[in-house]
Amino acid sequence: MSVDEQTKLFEAPVATGGVKRDRAYLVVLAGASVGEMYKIDGEVTIIGRGQKAQIRLYDDGISREHAQIMVEGNRIFLKDLGSTNGTYCNGLQVDKKELVDGDKILVGSTTILKFTYHDNLDEIFQRQMYESALRDGLTKAFNKKYFTDRLESEFTFSTRHGTPLALVLFDIDHFKKVNDTHGHQAGDHVLSEISTLLSSTLRAEDVFARCGGEEFGVICRGSDITQAQVVGERLRKAVESHRFEYSGTHIPVTISVGVAVLPNPAVKDANDVVLFADQALYKSKNAGRNRVTVHQPG
C-alpha cells in the first residue's frame, strides 16, 4: 500500500449527524482479510492472532492479544493490551480511546480496521461485496488473488517467526473426461460439491481457495510436514469415498495431492512454496493419481 493510500485511510471520519445505526462492526480495509466484517458482540472483544482472540488476524506484527473493544453502556472503547507494536487510531498511537463511527484502527504492519455502525441492509450489502471480491463465484472458495495475497503474508509471517507453514495443492483427476462425458454443467457441479465437501473438513484458520480450473489449494498455518500430510490424506479420502451424482448419474471422482512445507532452506519466496507443492502434485499424477505426495525439504 502506498503512502498516499495509507494517508487517505487515516483521514478524519466524516460526521454522521449523530445518527447511530443498529450494530457496531469492524470492517477490514487493508490486510490479509480485507473486506471481512466482525460484529462487536459482548462486553469485551479481543483482537489478536492467538486462540483467545474473538477477532483473529494474521498480519505480521500483531500480538496474540493485541487490543480489545469494550462496550461500556452506550459507549465503545478501543484499548491496547500491551501489544509489541502498539495500537493506532486515525494515525495516532493510543492506550484507550472512545470510538466513533468511521474511526480507522491500525494493528500490525498492514491491517487497518474501520469502526462503523450498520443496520441489517448495510450488513447484507457489505457481506455481498466481500463475497464477490474475494470468493470464486462457482465454488464459493476463496479466489486466486486472495490465495496469492494470503500466501505472501503467511510466508512472511512463517519466515520471520520460524513457525511451520504448509501448502496443500490438489486437482481433480481426469476432469476433462468428466466434462466430455457428462457435460460442463456436470463438471461445474463436481467443482462446487468438492468445495463444499472439503471446506467443511478444514480448520477455521485454514485458507481454502480455487487456484485454477480444477485446481485448489489449502494454506495451513502452523502445520508441519506430518500434519500437512494428514490434511492431504483426509482430503483425498473424503473425495474418494463421496458419491458424486448429477441428473441421477454417478460420476467417479478422485484427486491428486501435492504438499510443500516450511521451514525449507531451498525456499526463497512464496512462489517457491507453490512450485514445490506443484511438483509434488505432478508426482502424484505420474504415479497413478488418487494419492498424496509430500515434497521433502532439502
Side-chain angles (χ1 to χ4, degrees):
M1 181 182 300
S2 69
V3 173
D4 288 342
E5 289 172 323
Q6 290 193 24
T7 300
K8 288 179 181 179
L9 285 171
F10 287 124
E11 288 176 349
V14 178
T16 58
V19 177
K20 251 188 179 181
R21 296 181 177 174
D22 295 356
R23 305 174 185 88
Y25 290 85
L26 292 177
V27 180
V28 183
L29 298 183
S33 301
V34 62
E36 183 64 282
M37 291 178 62
Y38 299 97
K39 187 186 296 185
I40 305 303
D41 286 325
E43 293 183 356
V44 176
T45 301
I46 297 175
I47 302 168
R49 59 181 176 85
Q51 294 288 342
K52 294 182 180 180
Q54 287 81 38
I55 299 177
R56 297 186 69 186
L57 302 168
Y58 300 107
D59 184 17
D60 192 43
I62 294 179
S63 300
R64 292 183 181 278
E65 295 180 32
H66 194 103
Q68 66 184 21
I69 305 295
M70 302 179 298
V71 179
E72 299 180 3
N74 293 324
R75 304 166 73 190
I76 298 179
F77 292 87
L78 169 69
K79 180 177 175 58
D80 183 74
L81 294 176
S83 63
T84 302
N85 296 303
T87 300
Y88 294 78
C89 186
N90 301 325
L92 300 175
Q93 187 168 2
V94 298
D95 177 51
K96 182 178 180 181
K97 179 189 182 300
E98 183 176 0
L99 293 172
V100 299
D101 196 351
D103 276 347
K104 312 298 192 308
I105 302 165
L106 172 67
V107 291
S109 57
T110 62
T111 297
I112 298 173
L113 308 167
K114 178 182 178 181
F115 175 77
T116 188
Y117 291 94
H118 281 314
D119 59 25
N120 189 53
L121 289 177
D122 288 333
E123 179 183 358
I124 292 171
F125 175 74
Q126 182 68 33
R127 292 200 181 280
Q128 286 176 340
M129 291 293 289
Y130 171 70
E131 293 296 316
S132 63
L134 303 182
R135 299 278 182 177
D136 174 61
L138 173 65
T139 65
K140 308 309 178 187
F142 285 112
N143 59 29
K144 186 173 183 179
K145 183 183 185 307
Y146 181 85
F147 169 81
T148 301
D149 291 346
R150 185 63 180 269
L151 185 59
E152 287 280 357
S153 65
E154 294 292 348
F155 173 83
T156 300
F157 184 93
S158 175
T159 52
R160 184 165 296 179
H161 295 277
T163 56
L165 176 68
L167 174 61
V168 180
L169 292 182
F170 70 87
D171 70 14
I172 302 171
D173 296 328
H174 303 296
F175 186 68
K176 184 178 184 300
K177 185 177 179 181
V178 173
N179 282 329
D180 291 346
T181 303
H182 303 282
H184 287 277
Q185 288 185 327
D188 286 349
H189 173 77
V190 169
L191 290 168
S192 180
E193 191 156 344
I194 276 186
S195 179
T196 301
L197 173 69
L198 298 187
S199 60
S200 66
T201 72
L202 299 168
R203 303 174 303 176
E205 60 264 38
D206 294 333
V207 178
F208 179 73
R210 185 183 181 190
C211 305
E214 69 268 24
E215 184 173 88
F216 294 80
V218 185
I219 304 170
C220 304
R221 170 180 278 211
S223 294
D224 60 21
I225 193 166
T226 301
Q227 294 166 325
Q229 187 166 16
V230 169
V231 172
E233 190 61 27
R234 184 192 310 140
L235 299 178
R236 187 198 67 78
K237 286 182 177 178
V239 173
E240 182 184 45
S241 61
H242 185 76
R243 183 175 177 84
F244 293 84
E245 288 190 2
Y246 184 76
S247 296
T249 301
H250 171 54
I251 304 174
V253 179
T254 60
I255 61 173
S256 295
V257 185
V259 177
V261 297
L262 294 178
N264 181 346
V267 171
K268 305 304 180 186
D269 54 33
N271 290 330
D272 285 342
V273 183
V274 177
L275 174 64
F276 290 146
D278 206 42
Q279 289 174 352
L281 168 60
Y282 277 91
K283 285 183 179 179
S284 289
K285 298 180 82 68
N286 292 334
R289 294 181 168 84
N290 191 25
R291 65 193 64 218
V292 178
T293 302
V294 179
H295 179 271
Q296 298 296 329

